[in-house]
C-alpha cells in the first residue's frame, strides 16, 4: 500500500506534466523549439507510467476531473477551494495527509508546503 | 509590466560553478524554493527540456514551466563561470540562464507575457554581446532596466 502523502506527490507531478503538455503550443508561438515526435512521445510515456503508479481510485478521479475542468488539483486557502471558490466545510479544514476532494466541484485538494 | 522589478538581487547568481545541465537547473530552482517544492519543479523542468531544449542560442537558456509548487511568478538568474552544454538550438554552450516558474492558474496571462519579454531581452543581450558584462547582481538588474527602456522607445 502506498502512503497517501506519496500518492499526492505523484498526483502533483502528473498535474505539472499535464500543464507542460498543454503549454507546448504557447511555447512554440513564443519561439521555443518543440520536439513533437521523440520529446512529446517520451512525455506521454512518462505520463502513462506515472498514472500506473497511482492507485486506480485516485488516478480515475484525477482523469475525470481533468476531463471536466482541465486543472484537476486545487489549492485550499483561507478555508476555500481555489478551484470553485466555495467555502469548505469546517471539518475539512484541518490539514491532513489524506487525499480529499472538494465536495462542491470534485477537484483534488492540496495545501501549500509553507 | 516591468521585468527588472521582478528580479531580485538574492535570486541572481553570476558565479555558478556547475558544469552540467542538471546541476545548473537544480542550482536555479533552489534559489527560489526548497525541499519537496524544489524537487517537484526540478522534475518538471527536466521534462520540459525533453520536449525541446530551452537553450535559445547564443549562450542563453530560458528554462521555464508552470508548477503547482509556486503561488506566484518566480524568477531566478544564473551565469556559469564556464559555458556548459545545454543542447541549445544552435548547439553552442550556454552560460546565462533565466529560470521562470509560474503558478498553474494565471488569469492575467502574466506568465506568457513575461516569457515573451525575457526572450526579447535575451536577444538584445546577445546582439549587444552583453552576456558577460554585468559583474554584480545590481549591475545585472540595471542592464535589464536599460534594455527594457530601449525596447519601449523602439515601439
Ligand atoms: Zn471546489
Amino acid at each position: 500500500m502506498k502512503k497517501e502523502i506519496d500518492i499526492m506527490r505523484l498526483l502533483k507531478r502528473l498535474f505539472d506534466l499535464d500543464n507542460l503538455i498543454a503549454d507546448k503550443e504557447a511555447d512554440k508561438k513564443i519561439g521555443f523549439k518543440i520536439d513533437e515526435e521523440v520529446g512529446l512521445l517520451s512525455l506521454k510515456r512518462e505520463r502513462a507510467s506515472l498514472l500506473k503508479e497511482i492507485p486506480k481510485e485516485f488516478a480515475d478521479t484525477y482523469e475525470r476531473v481533468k476531463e471536466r475542468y482541465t486543472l484537476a488539483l486545487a489549492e485550499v486557502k483561507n478555508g476555500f477551494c481555489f478551484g470553485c471558490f466555495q467555502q469548505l466545510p469546517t471539518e475539512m479544514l484541518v490539514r491532513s495527509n489524506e487525499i480529499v476532494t472538494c465536495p462542491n466541484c470534485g477537484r483534488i485538494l492540496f495545501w501549500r508546503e509553507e | 509590466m516591468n521585468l527588472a522589478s521582478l528580479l531580485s538581487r538574492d535570486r541572481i547568481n553570476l558565479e555558478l560553478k556547475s558544469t552540467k545541465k542538471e546541476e545548473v537547473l537544480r542550482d536555479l530552482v533552489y534559489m527560489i524554493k526548497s525541499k519537496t517544492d524544489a524537487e517537484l519543479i526540478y522534475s518538471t523542468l527536466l521534462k520540459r527540456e525533453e520536449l525541446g531544449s530551452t537553450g535559445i542560442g547564443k549562450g542563453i537558456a530560458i528554462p521555464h514551466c508552470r508548477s503547482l509548487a509556486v503561488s506566484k511568478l518566480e524568477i531566478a538568474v544564473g551565469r556559469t563561470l564556464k559555458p556548459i552544454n545545454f543542447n541549445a538550438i544552435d548547439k553552442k554552450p550556454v552560460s546565462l540562464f533565466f529560470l521562470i516558474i509560474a503558478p498553474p492558474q494565471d488569469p492575467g496571462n502574466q506568465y506568457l507575457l513575461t516569457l515573451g519579454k525575457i526572450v526579447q531581452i535575451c536577444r538584445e543581450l546577445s546582439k549587444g554581446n552583453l552576456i558577460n558584462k554585468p559583474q554584480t547582481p545590481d549591475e545585472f538588474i540595471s542592464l535589464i532596466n536599460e534594455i527594457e527602456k530601449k525596447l519601449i522607445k523602439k515601439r
Side-chain angles (χ1 to χ4, degrees):
Chain A
M1 261 297 271
K2 267 200 181 83
K3 278 198 208 139
E4 301 231 328
I5 193 166
D6 297 322
I7 299 170
M8 198 61 205
R9 205 163 283 161
L10 294 170
L11 285 167
K12 287 179 176 179
R13 283 176 58 188
L14 181 62
F15 181 78
D16 267 15
L17 177 59
D18 279 337
N19 284 327
L20 204 61
I21 296 172
D23 276 344
K24 78 180 171 60
E25 294 306 318
D27 266 38
K28 271 200 273 184
K29 244 179 231 162
I30 292 172
F32 290 96
K33 214 182 83 190
I34 298 288
D35 177 357
E36 299 272 6
E37 280 162 32
V38 184
L40 189 59
L41 196 68
S42 123
L43 291 202
K44 286 191 172 156
R45 274 204 201 104
E46 280 176 55
R47 184 180 201 281
S49 79
L50 259 177
L51 264 182
K52 256 186 233 155
E53 278 185 72
I54 299 168
K56 193 172 182 308
E57 164 196 5
F58 299 112
D60 286 352
T61 305
Y62 180 92
E63 292 288 65
R64 202 177 53 239
V65 184
K66 181 183 179 262
E67 186 73 27
R68 179 148 183 211
Y69 298 113
T70 311
L71 301 181
L73 268 59
E75 185 183 354
V76 178
K77 217 164 134 186
N78 305 325
F80 284 83
C81 161
F82 262 53
C84 65
F85 296 98
Q86 293 296 305
Q87 197 152 17
L88 293 164
T90 342
E91 66 270 19
M92 284 187 70
L93 297 183
V94 187
R95 188 185 170 150
S96 72
N97 284 330
E98 268 169 60
I99 295 170
V100 286
T101 54
C102 169
N104 183 55
C105 69
R107 289 181 178 88
I108 299 168
L109 298 170
F110 74 94
W111 281 257
R112 288 216 169 270
E113 302 276 334
E114 60 266 332
Chain B
M1 189 259 325
N2 170 261
L3 178 64
S5 69
L6 292 170
L7 298 173
S8 79
R9 229 181 287 164
D10 56 341
R11 287 178 175 192
I12 300 174
N13 185 341
L14 302 177
E15 296 170 321
L16 292 179
K17 289 170 191 75
S18 304
T19 55
K20 287 193 181 74
K21 179 178 191 163
E22 290 79 10
E23 291 170 0
V24 173
L25 288 175
R26 232 197 194 104
D27 287 345
L28 291 163
V29 170
Y30 275 84
M31 279 193 240
I32 60 171
K33 286 281 172 184
S34 61
K35 299 182 205 161
T36 52
D37 279 341
E39 288 308 312
L40 175 62
I41 298 172
Y42 173 69
S43 110
T44 307
L45 283 174
L46 283 182
K47 292 189 190 116
R48 174 59 188 82
E49 294 302 319
E50 272 179 55
L51 206 49
S53 176
T54 58
I56 57 165
K58 306 224 162 87
I60 303 177
I62 311 172
H64 61 274
C65 67
R66 282 177 212 265
S67 177
L68 188 143
V70 302
S71 51
K72 60 177 177 55
L73 197 75
E74 309 277 7
I75 298 180
V77 175
R79 192 174 65 200
T80 51
L81 294 174
K82 282 185 191 145
I84 67 160
N85 178 18
F86 207 76
N87 307 322
I89 49 170
D90 61 356
K91 308 265 191 285
K92 288 196 177 123
V94 174
S95 61
L96 184 65
F97 299 84
F98 270 91
L99 177 77
I100 153 162
I101 312 294
Q105 268 167 323
D106 181 29
N109 226 351
Q110 198 198 9
Y111 171 51
L112 297 176
L113 289 173
T114 310
L115 199 53
K117 189 156 197 183
I118 291 180
V119 170
Q120 209 184 357
I121 287 175
C122 285
R123 290 205 179 110
E124 294 297 314
L125 280 171
S126 55
K127 241 193 267 166
N129 231 333
L130 298 167
I131 295 177
N132 291 309
K133 196 180 169 225
Q135 292 308 306
T136 63
D138 281 326
E139 284 177 28
F140 187 86
I141 294 174
S142 340
L143 176 63
I144 298 299
N145 229 331
E146 264 172 53
I147 295 177
E148 270 194 294
K149 279 190 195 140
K150 220 175 72 188
L151 287 174
I152 291 166
K153 263 191 211 151
K154 265 191 195 168
R155 254 179 237 151

